Amino acid sequence: MKRLIFGICGLACAALGIVGVFVPVLPTTPLLLLAAFCLSRSSARLTAWLEGTGVYKEYVLPFKQSGGIPRRRKARILTLSYGVMLVSAALVQKPLVWAILAAVALFLLWLMAARIPTVEDARDVA
């Protein structure tokens, strides 16, 4: 039963992580890391499937290998996320929505600036 629950949670996190590639506010890498954790406790076959996906190789593998995110990627994440949040704030003119978006923006800034280490991008090293 425990393996089934981990499997369901892992697949749900993987699905959300893949959606996060297209929706800037969803955190792709953390969701895929959580999916890998859950699936590793569920099924070797599902773990192998996840590790073989292009999304895993693009977002998680570099993070696992380097222990952080390059400055350029962080800037891109913040730019896209803040752009989507600004459009949302302009379209939905409600103070509650603005407060939630502001909280998400501050959390994302804290995450990128203080919590997730910045590593050198291979393209920056000459």
Side-chain angles (χ1 to χ4, degrees):
M1 185 63 158
K2 190 174 166 181
R3 289 175 52 141
L4 177 66
I5 292 170
F6 273 117
I8 291 169
C9 289
L11 290 173
C13 289
L16 285 172
I18 291 169
V19 169
V21 171
F22 306 103
V23 179
V25 179
L26 276 176
T28 301
T29 303
L31 285 168
L32 292 176
L33 285 169
L34 183 58
F37 172 81
C38 290
L39 292 178
S40 72
R41 278 143 184 76
S42 169
S43 161
R45 195 177 104 209
L46 287 174
T47 302
W49 164 79
L50 179 65
E51 291 174 352
T53 63
V55 173
Y56 183 90
K57 290 176 184 174
E58 173 74 20
Y59 289 90
V60 177
L61 204 52
F63 182 81
K64 284 177 70 175
Q65 291 171 342
S66 67
I69 299 175
R71 189 174 314 281
R72 284 183 184 172
R73 179 161 286 177
K74 283 184 173 187
R76 190 175 78 204
I77 290 168
L78 288 173
T79 301
L80 286 171
S81 297
Y82 286 177
V84 168
M85 286 187 257
L86 283 172
V87 169
S88 298
L91 293 175
V92 182
Q93 304 230 345
K94 296 188 184 247
L96 178 61
V97 172
W98 292 347
I100 292 169
L101 289 172
V104 170
L106 288 173
F107 174 73
L108 188 58
L109 181 62
W110 170 79
L111 197 64
M112 291 296 145
R115 188 72 178 126
I116 298 174
T118 302
V119 296
E120 291 232 8
D121 191 345
R123 291 174 284 181
D124 293 338
V125 178

